[in-house]
């Protein structure tokens, strides 16, 4: 140890960078009074930058001589903003996902804290009707006669206040309801018709509906069985068909946990798509709620996070990254739609929030509930191996029968923009009986490609192994993989011919065709293209609910959580692609999708019907699914996975690598093989380098190594020892590479 080292306080920190190591800094005398608790943020010099790093520990010595250590610039917090509990989860995650600690901690920290020294939370600003003004609604309208925008806003605020006094609307709500509202709101404020105020980032849930639902027998049984574990750790799986009343079970559970003074974390796939779920919690419980979603700005999100971390908010509803919210009195975690792919982060720190929910619940000795109508094969396997406890809700809560599912054999049939005559006749029938129709196709745009009829030229993306999708209304070609776009060609770019065909059909084409074929019915398309503008999704959902739109055409956005009572026919237009996909989870995803989308049919009085188009009606997957249901399908699929040695029978990890130069990517992966061979760890099989199913994307060649093992331990040993070495390789500088533990897909 160099002389004098022990005179200084030395601190080990995690720096927000993707390096597999921590860094030591010296604490200068001017900061010697500061406390350096684990998790405290400090500002440190790093290369030419000054970064916010996180204290791991204070150490006595360093491998680096004291006179070479750089000093900490500032200690930003007087205590850690991350609880011991969250830090434990994060350290565990960094190891499990073999991901650099600095990057893991960075991901967990609210963006606001990554860039602002001051951690004082800001209050949320909001606007509400000024109750002190004495004018009647009619008088106000007269006053605002020439200001339609102000009138609109006034009406919105009136509506918002109906649920409870002074709820008002914050900028997030206003943004989602309308555009360019600031000047008008300011004018209303100046007229003293409304007030502008600040409130903490918590919502107040207030039980408004008086006629509470009596749980049915299955629900009661599930609830009792979950509660019989006395709030000790257990993983409960609530397997309930769509509409079976899972949410009611969550609500009942929440009531008792909240009554015990505990906090609850509810993870949902996407909040924007399912505002109804949040609404139900707000209307059925009496508590404080923080909603963490991506549409909040950094300040708002931090404020909500802070409310959760200090215990002000008792119920937290959030998407994937909310799993890292500190919750001092956490008593229950619920993961809704546990099978949903959005729980897995697909770049950088590739964690799975569902799996981390289980780890977190185990660490805290509290229960976790995974809910789904279509549980993932992993989860089902864990039930069969008795690690998880299953509870089944086999029937719809409102006693409606499950819809009848039938296959339409497309072979040799005359097709209209990809739809069989049988499908069109059925649509006609359901509309005639005042039913609504939902058509599902997982492809947006007009057609997946254009082709020259003279020479066969197709619209390929220059940077990907993929076609560019034709968007007719916007007159452009767009690559859905790299985002590239250009004007749609009027002539063939190879032969100059003008005989250009649009091949295949997406939502836009189906919408156009149906609008012509059913001219008296409003056809509404719901996909990412039609819901880009603020409020347009809400508006479209509203039109669907009110029955204004008779036919809904949509992508998987429509498969999630919406309850359209009047839908009697669901058509699934395209299944063949998934039946023959190279991805090992494709069949599982297709079955989940079919089941979820089918669940939208016949929710109310009228019976529902589901039609699935395919060229392969005899396919065993489809046969099992429609005749015996999702669980039987899943059991069969699980057997196939076991036979093939795929997850969950064996554990899987990928080392992904991409580079402009295909050789560089392969070279790097070959070095990775050499590195792992040197470690001589048994029981891990390595396949590759294999090209990714889409070999070139956004101008980069993509290759991967697939690592498989019957046990996690050797797999993790190998990767955690290899990763720091690979980072040092000169070959690593020419590529982008990453480790993906428990990959969701192999693309
Ligand atoms: P899931 O979450 O399983 O899709 P929900 O909880 O949304 O199901 O319930 C579906 C519908 O059935 C909702 O309209 C809900 O109010 C109603 N419902 C749920 N449980 C009951 C019950 N025990 N009695 C009557 N209606 C119920
Ligand atoms: Zn041509
Ligand atoms: Zn592309």
């Amino acid at each position: 140890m160099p002389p004098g080292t022990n005179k200084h306080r030395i601190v080990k920190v995690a720096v927000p960078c993707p390096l597999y190591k921590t860094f030591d800094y010296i604490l200068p005398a001017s900061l010697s009074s500061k406390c350096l608790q684990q998790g405290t943020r400090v500002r440190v010099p790093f290369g030419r930058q000054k970064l916010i790093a996180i204290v791991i520990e204070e150490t006595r010595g360093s491998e680096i001589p004291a006179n070479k250590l750089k000093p900490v610039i500032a200690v930003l917090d007087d205590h850690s903003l991350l609880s011991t509990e969250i830090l434990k989860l994060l350290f565990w995650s960094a190891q499990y996902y073999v991901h650099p600690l600095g990057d893991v901690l960075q991901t967990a920290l609210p963006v606001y804290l990554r860039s602002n020294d001051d951690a004082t939370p800001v209050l949320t600003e909001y606007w509400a009707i000024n109750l002190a003004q004495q004018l009647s609604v009619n008088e106000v309208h007269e006053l605002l006669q020439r200001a339609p925008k102000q009138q609109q806003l006034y009406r919105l605020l009136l509506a918002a206040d109906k649920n409870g006094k002074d709820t008002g609307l914050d900028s997030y709500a206003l943004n989602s309801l309308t555009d360019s509202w600031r000047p008008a709101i300011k004018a209303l404020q100046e007229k003293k018709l409304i007030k502008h105020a600040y409130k903490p980032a918590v919502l107040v849930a207030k039980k408004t509906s008086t006629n509470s639902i009596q749980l049915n027998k299955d629900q009661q049984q599930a609830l009792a069985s979950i509660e019989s574990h006395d709030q000790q750790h257990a993983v409960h799986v609530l397997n309930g068909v769509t509409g079976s009343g899972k949410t009611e079970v969550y609500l009942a559970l929440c009531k008792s946990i909240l009554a015990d003074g505990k906090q609850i974390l509810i993870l949902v796939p996407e909040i924007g798509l399912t505002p109804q779920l949040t609404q139900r919690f707000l209307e059925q419980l009496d508590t404080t709620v923080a909603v963490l979603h991506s549409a909040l700005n950094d300040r708002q999100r931090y404020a909500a996070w802070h409310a959760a971390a200090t215990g002000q908010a008792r119920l937290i509803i959030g998407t994937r990254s909310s799993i890292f919210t500190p919750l001092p009195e956490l008593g229950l975690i619920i993961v809704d739609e546990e099978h949903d792919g959005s729980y897995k982060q697909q770049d950088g720190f590739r964690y799975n929030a569902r799996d981390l929910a289980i780890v977190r619940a185990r660490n805290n000795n509290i229960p976790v509930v995974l809910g789904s109508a279509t549980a993932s094969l992993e989860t089902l396997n864990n039930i069969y191996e008795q690690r998880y406890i299953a509870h089944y809700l086999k029937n719809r809560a409102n006693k409606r029968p499950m819809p009848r599912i039938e296959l339409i054999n497309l072979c040799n049939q005359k097709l209209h923009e990809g739809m069989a005559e049988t499908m069109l006749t059925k649509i006609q029938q359901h509309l005639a009986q005042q039913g609504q129709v939902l058509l599902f196709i997982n492809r947006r745009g007009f057609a997946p490609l254009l082709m020259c009829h003279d020479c066969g030229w197709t619209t390929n993306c220059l940077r990907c192994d993929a076609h560019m999708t034709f968007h007719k209304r916007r007159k452009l070609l767009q690559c859905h993989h790299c985002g590239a776009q250009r004007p749609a060609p009027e002539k063939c770019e190879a032969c100059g011919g003008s005989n250009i065909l649009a091949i295949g059909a997406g939502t836009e084409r189906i919408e156009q065709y149906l609008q012509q074929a059913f001219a008296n019915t409003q056809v509404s398309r719901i996909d990412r293209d039609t819901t880009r503008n603020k409020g347009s999704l809400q508006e479209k959902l509203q039109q669907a609910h009110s029955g204004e739109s008779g036919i809904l055409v949509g992508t998987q956005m429509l498969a999630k959580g919406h309850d359209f009572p009047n839908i009697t026919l669901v058509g699934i237009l395209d299944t063949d692609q998934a039946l023959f996909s190279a991805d090992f989870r494709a069949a599982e995803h297709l079955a989940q999708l079919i089941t979820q989308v089918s669940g939208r049919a016949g929710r109310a009085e009228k019976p529902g019907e589901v039609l699935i188009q395919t060229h392969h009606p005899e396919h065993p997957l489809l046969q099992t699914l429609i005749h015996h249901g999702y669980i039987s399908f899943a059991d069969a699929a699980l057997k196939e996975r076991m036979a093939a040695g795929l997850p969950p029978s064996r554990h899987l990890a990928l080392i992904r690598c991409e580079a402009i130069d295909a050789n560089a990517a392969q070279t790097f992966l070959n070095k990775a093989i050499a590195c792992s061979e040197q470690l001589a760890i048994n029981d891990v099989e390595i396949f590759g380098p294999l090209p990714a199913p889409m070999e070139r994307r956004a101008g980069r060649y993509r290759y991967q190594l697939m690592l498989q093992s019957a046990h996690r331990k050797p797999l993790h040993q190998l990767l955690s020892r290899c990763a720091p070495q690979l980072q040092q390789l000169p070959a690593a500088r020419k590529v982008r590479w990453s480790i993906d533990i428990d990959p969701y897909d192999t693309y």
Side-chain angles (χ1 to χ4, degrees), residues 92-247:
W92 187 92
S93 304
Q95 279 200 330
Y96 182 83
Y97 290 104
V98 196
H99 195 74
L101 183 62
D103 209 41
V104 168
L105 293 173
Q106 167 93 345
T107 307
L109 216 54
V111 177
Y112 184 81
L113 291 180
R114 296 180 208 163
S115 44
N116 287 279
D117 287 8
D118 183 10
T120 321
V122 278
L123 299 171
T124 313
E125 64 174 343
Y126 75 106
W127 294 265
I129 299 295
N130 179 11
L131 297 172
Q133 53 89 5
Q134 303 285 330
L135 300 175
S136 73
V137 175
N138 281 344
E139 285 169 322
V140 171
H141 277 203
E142 214 153 286
L143 200 69
L144 299 178
Q145 222 166 21
R146 300 231 185 103
K149 188 75 193 177
Q150 291 177 37
Q151 253 195 44
Q152 183 208 1
L153 287 169
Y154 191 83
R155 249 183 273 127
L156 287 172
L157 291 174
L158 261 184
D161 275 1
K162 256 190 199 131
N163 299 331
K165 282 196 180 110
D166 203 34
T167 38
L169 294 170
D170 60 18
S171 55
Y172 166 69
L174 284 166
N175 273 334
S176 67
L177 290 166
T178 179
D179 277 315
S180 46
W181 46 270
R182 285 223 178 242
I185 228 126
K186 216 163 163 207
L188 284 171
Q189 217 174 300
E190 277 157 11
K191 291 177 186 151
K192 300 221 164 34
L193 291 173
I194 63 166
K195 64 168 187 178
H196 175 227
Y198 292 86
K199 63 181 169 188
V202 287
L203 304 172
V204 179
K206 200 112 203 83
K207 188 161 167 40
T208 47
S209 62
T210 41
N211 54 334
S212 63
I213 283 177
Q214 187 75 31
L215 293 188
N216 63 35
K217 223 171 168 177
D218 286 349
Q219 289 169 316
Q220 279 174 23
Q221 210 165 39
L223 180 68
S225 158
I226 295 171
E227 289 190 330
S228 71
H229 288 257
D230 238 10
Q231 301 187 11
Q232 303 279 305
H233 175 62
V235 185
H236 299 279
V237 183
L238 192 54
N239 259 309
V241 300
T242 47
S244 60
K246 294 183 289 295
T247 313

Side-chain angles (χ1 to χ4, degrees), residues 541-557:
L541 292 178
Q542 180 52 38
Q543 286 171 356
H545 277 280
S546 69
E548 207 177 323
S549 341
I551 302 178
L552 310 177
V553 179
T555 56
Q556 63 187 359
M557 278 181 98

Side-chain angles (χ1 to χ4, degrees), residues 401-646:
M402 292 304 281
R404 196 157 42 108
I405 305 184
E406 272 176 50
L407 299 174
I408 298 180
N409 185 353
L410 290 183
C411 295
N412 298 317
Q413 286 233 28
K414 183 159 183 246
L415 298 180
H416 304 265
E417 309 296 21
M419 284 175 289
E421 306 247 323
T422 337
M423 182 69 86
L424 294 169
T425 315
K426 279 284 184 189
I427 295 175
Q428 176 77 58
Q429 280 170 10
H430 279 258
L431 290 177
Q433 290 161 13
Q434 317 304 322
Q436 266 178 311
V437 176
L438 191 165
L439 293 176
F440 179 84
I441 179 160
N442 213 3
R443 196 188 295 131
R444 63 196 170 87
F446 188 84
L449 69 148
L450 296 178
M451 185 186 278
C452 171
H453 196 41
D454 299 337
C455 75
W457 171 82
T458 55
T459 49
N460 297 337
C461 177
L462 299 175
R463 311 169 69 219
C464 304
D465 291 333
H467 296 298
M468 291 185 93
T469 303
F470 175 44
H471 290 258
K472 190 175 180 185
R473 207 162 301 175
R474 290 194 285 153
K475 297 196 181 76
L476 52 81
L477 294 173
Q478 189 186 44
C479 173
H480 289 178
H481 303 281
C482 71
Q485 55 183 53
R486 57 191 166 99
E490 298 195 346
K491 291 204 162 100
C492 170
E493 287 171 12
C495 74
S498 48
N499 216 345
I500 294 190
L501 309 175
I503 309 286
T507 46
E508 191 185 343
R509 190 169 202 169
I510 305 277
E511 176 202 19
Q512 182 186 310
Y513 176 79
L514 291 172
Q515 194 57 82
Q516 282 161 7
F518 302 97
N520 297 325
T521 304
Q522 181 181 317
V523 181
S524 177
R525 166 159 63 105
I526 301 186
D527 58 23
R528 258 204 288 150
D529 296 317
T530 62
T531 55
R532 206 157 294 174
N533 293 335
K534 272 168 198 158
S536 55
L537 176 63
Q538 272 86 347
E539 191 181 319
K540 282 183 177 279
L541 292 178
Q542 180 52 38
Q543 286 171 356
H545 277 280
S546 69
E548 207 177 323
S549 341
I551 302 178
L552 310 177
V553 179
T555 56
Q556 63 187 359
M557 278 181 98
L558 271 182
K560 295 184 184 177
H562 305 291
D563 198 355
F564 303 118
N566 212 17
I567 286 184
T568 54
L569 174 66
V570 167
I572 299 173
L573 302 183
D574 181 27
T575 45
D576 292 347
Q577 219 181 348
L579 289 176
F580 302 99
S581 162
D583 186 32
F584 74 93
R585 282 187 216 273
E588 178 186 354
H589 293 164
L590 175 64
Q592 287 165 343
L593 194 72
I594 290 177
T595 312
Q596 295 282 349
V597 181
S598 304
R600 309 286 138 230
R603 304 264 272 197
E605 295 86 54
K606 298 177 196 162
E609 194 172 1
V610 177
L611 294 175
I612 302 173
Q613 297 196 149
T614 175
H615 284 92
H616 301 273
E618 78 298 340
H619 199 287
L621 152 66
L622 289 175
Q623 286 296 326
T624 310
L625 184 64
I626 66 166
H627 293 300
H628 306 287
Y630 177 79
I631 299 280
S632 301
F633 151 79
D635 291 345
L638 202 49
K639 279 208 189 92
E640 277 182 25
R641 293 259 189 99
M642 296 298 179
L646 286 164

